[in-house]
Every structure is written in C-alpha cells, then in structure tokens.
C-alpha cells in the first residue's frame, strides 16, 4: 500500500512496488530503443534510484524498467507513476503512451484493455543532465540528480465512470465545515444518473443521485463534520473521507485547518503560528531519493526530538509517503516545485515555463488536501532581482493562485536588498549566509537587522518574514581549538547566535528553516567547494548521526515551543 491508508475499497488497485526487470542502456537514444525487444538482464527495486546502487553508482544514461502483471479487468485503467527521474517514456504492451519531463511528481496514464490477461509495462528513464532533455534538472544545482523510478507505482481499474480527483478545503475548522469538489470522468460520453455518497469516518454526510453528462464534470458540496476536532501540530487529528460515485470510490484524508496571512502573522486556525524547522533533502547514501518509509519516519522523529514543527521540502515536491507522515505527525510543510538559481533567460524560455507549469499541476494535485502543507513555494534563489524575470514569476505564481487561491505562496529569495518580485509573495522568505559565505558570526544580528530595515523601506515589511536558509558547513567529527569554519563547534555557535537573535532578541520572525537537516550529496559541478562532495551543512550527517549543532538546536527550539 503506497499511502498510509487505503485509498479505495471498491476500485481494484495493483501495487507495482517491488522488484522490476532492469537494463542500463547508457548512451542509447530513447528513439532508437524498442523496449519490447530489449533484453532486461538485471533487476531493480521500486521505489529506488538505480544509480544509488553499487552496480550503477554515478552512471548517467537511459535505463529500462519492465514489469509484467496479470490484470483480471477490462476497460479503462490508470497507470500511476511517482518520481520519474528525470525524463521518461512509458509503454503499455509496447504502445508508447507518454513522454514526461521532470522528477519528483505523480503522473497518471490512462489506457484501455479489451481482454483480461498479462500486461507489460516498460518505462525508459533518462538521468542525463541535458537542458534539451529536461530543463528542470541542471548540472550546477547543489544536489545530486539520481535516476530511475524513485517513488511508487500502481495500476487502477477504473470502470465506466470514476472519480479522478477530490479537492477538500476547510472553511471553518472550529465549526468543522469544509468544501469538497469531486472531479469525475468517463471513458465514453454518458448521460446517466449515479448514486453519490460522501462519508466521513463511516458517517454518511451526503447521499443523493447526480447526473453525469458527457465525459467529465465536477460536483461541489459544502459539508460539516459533526463534533469537529481541528488539525494542528500539537493535535494532528485526521479524518478519512470516502466519496462513492456509482461503482467507484476514492478515499482521502483531511484535517480541519485553515491557514492565512494577517499582517506579519501566519495564522493556523486563526491563531498565530511560529515555524521552527529545517530544509531537508530527500536523500541517503544508500537509497538516493528512494527512501524507505522507516527512514522517513526516523527523520521526522529527529525533527520532533529537536522541537521542530516545520520542514521546507527543498528543493522539489515531496514524496507522498513523506507528506502522509507529516500529516500524521503534525509537521507543517513548505512544498515547492523544483528550482535552483534559475536565470532570467530560463524564466523567458517557454520550455522551462511549460515544464514548471506541469510540476505545479502535478504537485498541487497530490498535496492539495493535506493539512500539513501550509504553503507553496517555487524557484529557489532565482533571478528575482532582474526586471526581465518578473513576467516568468507572474506567470508561474499566477498559475499557483489559479489552482489554489487559499494557500500562502512564497519563494526563497537570496536578493533581500534588491528583489523585484517580493510583492508577489504572501510570505517573505530570505536565504542568507552571514557568518559563512560573508561576515562573522557576531555580525549576524546586525546583518539580519539590515534585511528587516530594507524590507520596511521597500514596503514588504508588513508580511510574515521567514529565514528560509541560513547555516554553516560542519565536517562530521571535526573539532579544533580554533573553532574554525568546518568544525562542529563553529556550526553550533552560528546556529545558536541565529536562533537566539531571531526568537529571543527580535520579535520580527514568523519562521526559520535552517539549512540543512542532513548532509546531502552534491552535484559534480560543486565538487571543489564541497568537501566529500557533500553539502555538509546538516545538523546530522548523511547517515543521520547527530553533530554538535543537533543538540544546540534541540535545546533552543525546545525552549521556544
Ligand atoms: C543556497 C541553496 C541551497 C544550498 C545553500 C548552500 O542557499 O538554496 O540549496 O546550496 O545555498 O549550502 O550554499
């Protein structure tokens, strides 16, 4: 089971996680590959990154994944693939059904079956770093781009009419009221009356006949949960909501919570909330981004142990299994589309914009209903200080607002003194490295004060302010009498000074996402500036062993919560 709960009771689902046939095809061009006649001598597991395994470590190129399964059903089906890295071509029984650009999101592919029997799924993935292939994964980024089918996979049998998506939004958490939008689809045009039922925790809230006309439509209802219990980090109460339409059903979870910005406050269920946490890369030396759930859980246990209530999913949409755990454990999430220091040129390139729009669509579809996701983000540290970038920001941020006008929207800016797009944000988020790339640790408070003053001068000071990255590198186990850069002591002192200023001496800040939770492998271009070829700013190392700063953060965050 992919999610933390069963998504269907009526719809047949085949989980495709596990062992697949595999071939690494290297420099071969996808157009020159006939998957049906290509041998697959090796094996690979899903979720997983093939180049995180010893046999293919560091390899870039085309790879073929194959799975044959028995499907007892006919008619419309849906193949669901998560985390295709980072270009993919998909075949069902030899028929080319999709090309996909960009990793880290869920893709749904419809196909029809006339007879029950064996079906062969072939997925070509390509992890070569090439703007032509995929403009979203570039070589200069400060993390390693692994390849393969790194998340989950499944096949669903859809029948004649099915529920394609639910959008659930709390209207009033205390009153328990919520809005649910139900998108349905049909394989052929229909004109039919169907039974529609909505249950929350087995309690029937709605039972009526609805008319389905054509091949798609949406039904919208405002409903209320009896004896409501709101969702909050302290009490992350979740409800199972089941929608049944004809013979089909879809179950999702909801938490009763609202999130809004009022002045400098971020309000959760009407109360100001302070965000204390980390940026986290989804990676591990043995698994790459295909993390086992045990590890996701362990990471969040460490978050809780340190007194955190917040994670910035840097720098891409988070695994749905991780988001399920955040919903359950009351960790608030900033979920963002893939981005890292894009230029004005990227922001004016239709190929880049189109790929971002697809990421936004796919990210929002899988995370919209989650109470833990309190904010959307995009375009980490891109050229938001260049006039020519603004139309790109407007386009992408406008699309976010079209799909979800109710969640705060932000981007992490590293141009606090000359940004030209901050007015587009609901929450101001600044990445800055005083005490590491410039200035001394003792100068951090004064430097942050200058950022605050500049935001006031430019009319952006009235919004919630988050430091979305700040930190220092520490080589695990490295200590010296000088407490110099790269020691655990230096990192610990820098974070102590930062947290002490932000939350004890200043009352200005809504949140902090320390850079970084765990040390993470960086890309080849960064090798010389990053000892061990890791971004070493984690408070735990890549195997999650704590550094000195872990205990410093724990002491300070725990005293603040
Ligand atoms: C940037 C970037 C991070 C990381 C960090 C660093 O702020 O957003 O991904 O590269 O710098 O460690 O320098």
């Amino acid at each position: 089971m992919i999610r933390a709960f069963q998504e269907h009771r009526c719809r047949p689902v085949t989980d495709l996680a596990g062992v697949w046939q595999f071939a690494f095809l290297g420099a071969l061009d996808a157009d020159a590959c006939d998957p049906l006649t290509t041998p697959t001598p090796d094996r690979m597991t899903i979720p997983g990154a093939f180049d995180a395994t010893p046999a293919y470590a560091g390899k870039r190129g085309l790879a073929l994944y194959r799975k044959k399964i028995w499907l007892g059903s006919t008619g419309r089906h849906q193949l669901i693939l998560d985390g295709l890295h980072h270009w993919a071509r998909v075949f069902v029984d030899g028929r080319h059904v999709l090309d996909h650009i960009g990793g880290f999101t869920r893709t749904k592919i419809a196909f029809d079956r006339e007879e029950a029997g064996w079906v062969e799924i072939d997925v070509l993935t390509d992890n070569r770093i090439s703007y032509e292939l995929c403009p979203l994964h570039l070589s200069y980024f400060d993390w390693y781009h692994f390849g393969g089918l790194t998340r989950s996979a499944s096949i669903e049998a859809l029948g004649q009419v099915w529920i394609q998506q639910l959008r659930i939004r709390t209207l009033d958490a205390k009153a328990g009221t919520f809005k649910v939008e139900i998108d349905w689809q049909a394989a052929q045009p229909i004109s039919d009356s169907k039974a529609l039922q909505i249950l929350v925790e087995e309690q029937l809230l709605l039972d009526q006949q609805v008319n389905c006309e054509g091949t798609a439509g949406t039904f919208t209802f405002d409903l209320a949960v009896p004896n409501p219990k709101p969702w909050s980090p302290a009490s992350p109460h979740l409800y199972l909501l089941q929608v049944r339409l004809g013979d089909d059903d879809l179950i999702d979870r909801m938490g009763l919570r609202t999130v809004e910005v009022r002045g400098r406050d971020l309000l959760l269920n009407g109360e100001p909330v302070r965000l204390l946490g980390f940026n986290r890369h989804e990676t591990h030396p043995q698994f790459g981004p295909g993390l086992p759930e045990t590890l996701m859980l362990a990471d969040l246990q460490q978050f809780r142990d340190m007194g955190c209530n917040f994670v910035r999913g840097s720098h891409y949409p988070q695994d749905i299994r991780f988001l399920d755990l955040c919903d359950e454990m009351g960790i608030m999430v900033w979920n963002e589309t893939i981005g890292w220091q894009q230029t004005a040129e990227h922001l004016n390139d239709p190929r880049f914009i189109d790929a971002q729009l697809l990421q936004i669509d796919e990210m929002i579809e899988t995370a919209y209903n989650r109470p833990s996701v309190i904010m959307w983000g995009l375009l980490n540290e891109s050229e938001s200080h260049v006039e020519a970038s603004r139309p790109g920001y407007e386009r992408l941020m406008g699309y976010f607002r079209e799909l979800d006008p109710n969640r705060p929207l932000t981007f992490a800016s590293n141009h606090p003194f000359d940004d030209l797009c901050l007015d587009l944000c609901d929450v101001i988020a600044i990445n800055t490295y005083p005490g590491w790339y410039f200035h001394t640790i003792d100068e951090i408070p004064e430097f942050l004060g200058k950022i605050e003053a500049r935001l006031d001068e430019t009319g952006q000071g009235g919004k919630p302010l988050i430091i979305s990255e700040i930190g220092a590198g520490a080589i695990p186990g490295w200590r010296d009498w000088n407490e110099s850069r790269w020691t655990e002591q230096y990192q610990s002192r820098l974070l102590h000074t930062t947290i002490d200023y932000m939350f004890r001496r200043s009352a200005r800040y809504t949140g902090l996402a320390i850079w970084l939770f765990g040390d993470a492998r960086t890309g080849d271009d960064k090798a010389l500036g990053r000892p061990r070829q890791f971004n070493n700013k984690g408070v735990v190392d890549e195997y999650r062993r704590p550094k000195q700063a872990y205990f410093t953060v724990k002491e300070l965050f725990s005293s603040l919560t």
Side-chain angles (χ1 to χ4, degrees):
M1 192 159 67
I2 295 167
R3 302 286 305 269
F5 57 93
Q6 218 175 319
E7 280 182 286
H8 304 279
R9 289 186 207 160
C10 310
R11 187 186 298 182
V13 179
T14 309
D15 188 351
L16 300 182
V19 180
W20 286 48
Q21 297 173 48
F22 179 80
F24 181 67
L25 307 171
L28 189 70
D29 192 329
D31 291 338
C33 178
D34 174 3
L36 288 186
T37 57
T38 304
T40 46
D42 212 342
R43 297 292 176 269
M44 202 48 67
T45 52
I46 289 178
F50 71 82
D51 47 348
T53 66
Y56 302 98
K59 296 251 186 288
R60 295 214 171 272
L62 198 67
L64 173 61
Y65 285 75
R66 173 177 300 150
K67 188 88 179 168
K68 281 187 187 162
I69 54 154
W70 178 268
L71 281 183
S73 43
T74 57
R76 180 61 55 93
H77 290 73
Q78 176 162 264
L79 171 63
I80 301 181
L81 298 169
D82 288 321
L84 293 164
H85 286 271
H86 45 246
W87 178 90
R89 176 166 289 172
V90 183
F91 301 83
V92 175
D93 277 337
R95 200 161 53 82
H96 176 183
V97 288
L98 179 91
D99 281 354
H100 187 265
I101 286 177
F104 301 113
T105 53
R106 163 165 286 195
T107 307
K108 293 177 176 172
I109 305 155
F111 64 95
D112 293 314
R113 307 240 333 130
E114 278 168 20
E115 283 171 28
W118 289 97
V119 63
E120 178 173 319
I121 309 294
D122 290 280
V123 182
L124 286 171
T125 65
D126 201 325
N127 67 342
R128 272 171 283 196
I129 308 272
S130 140
Y131 192 81
E132 295 309 313
L133 194 67
C134 171
L136 297 180
H137 294 248
L138 303 177
S139 67
Y140 63 84
F141 289 8
D142 189 8
W143 80 86
Y144 193 82
H145 298 262
F146 288 90
L149 271 168
T150 67
R151 293 182 180 173
S152 333
S154 60
I155 290 186
E156 300 180 345
L158 295 175
Q160 181 214 15
V161 175
W162 65 91
I163 303 161
Q164 185 65 14
Q165 200 192 340
L166 298 179
R167 283 180 299 283
I168 310 165
R169 179 167 71 84
T170 302
L171 299 173
D172 182 329
K174 287 194 188 89
T177 51
F178 66 95
K179 183 179 285 300
V180 57
E181 291 170 82
I182 304 158
D183 292 345
W184 65 269
Q185 288 186 13
Q188 306 295 334
I190 57 162
S191 173
D192 210 355
S193 163
K194 297 270 172 203
L196 177 77
Q197 293 166 331
I198 302 179
L199 298 92
V200 170
E201 298 293 337
E202 307 302 318
Q203 211 175 329
L204 195 60
L205 297 191
L206 183 126
D207 186 2
Q208 66 180 55
Q209 288 295 120
V210 288
N211 285 326
C212 296
E213 299 282 343
T215 53
T218 301
F219 300 114
T220 304
F221 302 97
D222 288 357
L223 300 168
V225 176
N227 308 315
K229 284 194 202 143
W231 183 97
S232 70
S235 174
H237 190 83
L238 295 167
Y239 292 93
L240 275 182
L241 180 128
Q242 186 188 20
V243 178
R244 295 184 199 147
L245 179 65
D247 298 331
D248 191 42
D249 76 335
L250 182 52
I251 301 170
D252 204 349
R253 286 195 308 201
M254 63 177 207
L256 293 167
R257 73 104 188 86
T258 53
V259 58
E260 65 195 295
V261 165
R262 192 173 304 149
R264 284 184 178 171
D265 287 327
L266 186 67
L267 304 181
L268 194 84
N269 295 337
E271 301 290 329
V273 68
R274 183 154 64 187
L275 309 175
L276 297 175
F278 283 88
N279 288 271
R280 172 179 171 276
H281 265 303
E282 244 168 23
T283 187
H284 183 278
Q286 283 170 288
F287 311 111
L291 302 185
E293 277 147 48
T294 324
L295 190 65
M296 297 180 183
L297 177 69
D299 283 1
L300 287 173
Q301 286 175 345
Q302 289 189 311
F303 267 68
R304 272 184 164 177
D305 180 53
M306 282 187 280
C308 300
N309 61 11
F310 176 52
V311 60
R312 174 173 172 226
S314 53
H315 298 296
Y316 33 76
Q318 298 295 287
D319 194 311
I320 55 174
R321 298 170 302 150
F322 181 72
L323 292 177
D324 274 349
L325 284 167
C326 291
D327 282 340
E328 302 222 359
M329 295 170 78
I331 300 290
M332 293 176 280
V333 183
W334 158 337
N335 206 16
E336 69 185 20
T337 50
I338 187 171
W340 206 86
Q341 297 189 358
Q342 262 80 25
T343 62
E345 206 180 318
H346 293 131
L347 281 152
N348 282 286
D349 178 355
R351 279 176 305 173
F352 175 76
I353 294 290
D354 285 351
Q356 279 285 331
L357 292 170
L358 179 65
Q359 277 261 310
I360 295 171
D361 260 333
E362 293 180 337
M363 176 176 80
I364 292 187
E365 183 170 341
T366 48
Y368 184 94
N369 295 340
R370 295 167 180 287
S372 61
V373 176
I374 54 150
M375 174 158 43
W376 302 122
L378 73 164
L379 295 175
N380 174 63
E381 293 192 344
S382 295
E383 286 188 345
S384 47
H385 63 315
V386 174
E387 194 61 59
S389 300
R390 191 168 165 105
Y393 271 86
E394 284 173 344
R395 175 85 205 280
L396 297 177
M397 293 177 85
Y399 193 53
F400 265 103
R401 294 197 192 280
E402 238 176 73
L403 297 184
D404 185 359
N406 298 298
R407 266 192 185 82
L409 180 59
T410 191
F411 59 80
S413 166
N414 58 343
H415 309 288
F417 299 103
D418 57 352
D419 200 297
L420 297 175
C421 299
L422 291 181
D423 60 302
L424 301 174
C425 296
D426 300 311
V427 171
I428 304 293
I430 303 294
N431 290 359
T432 184
Y433 285 87
W436 185 250
Y437 292 127
F438 57 90
H439 289 344
T440 64
I441 292 179
D442 294 339
E443 288 166 332
I444 291 174
E446 191 191 335
F447 181 76
L448 291 182
K450 283 187 183 153
I451 293 180
E452 296 158 25
R454 180 66 187 158
L455 291 173
D456 291 341
E457 261 167 48
T458 52
Q460 297 306 314
K463 298 178 183 173
L465 174 59
I466 294 179
I467 296 297
S468 37
E469 286 187 30
I470 195 162
I475 303 298
W478 182 249
R479 298 179 184 205
D480 72 18
W481 294 113
N482 301 319
E483 303 201 348
S484 52
R485 276 181 167 79
W486 298 112
T487 62
E488 289 197 12
Q489 298 122 301
Y490 188 93
Q491 181 193 38
S492 169
R493 194 158 73 80
L494 184 144
L495 294 180
H496 191 288
T497 303
T498 302
I499 299 169
D500 178 62
Y501 169 72
M502 286 180 64
F503 299 115
R504 287 178 169 165
R505 294 164 56 196
S506 165
R508 179 72 189 252
Y509 292 89
T510 295
L512 166 64
I514 293 170
W515 186 267
L516 175 68
F517 169 64
D519 289 349
R521 184 157 182 227
T522 188
D524 293 346
D525 289 8
K526 288 270 181 295
L528 282 180
R530 300 265 184 265
R532 315 183 305 136
Q533 211 171 321
F534 271 76
N535 189 310
N536 295 290
K537 297 188 188 73
V539 297
V540 297
D541 73 3
E542 61 277 22
Y543 290 100
R544 278 58 173 174
R545 291 171 297 206
K547 302 181 194 172
Q548 186 177 324
Y550 179 100
F551 301 101
T552 307
V553 172
K554 174 175 172 168
E555 188 193 320
L556 290 168
F557 277 1
S558 304
S559 74
L560 293 167
T561 41

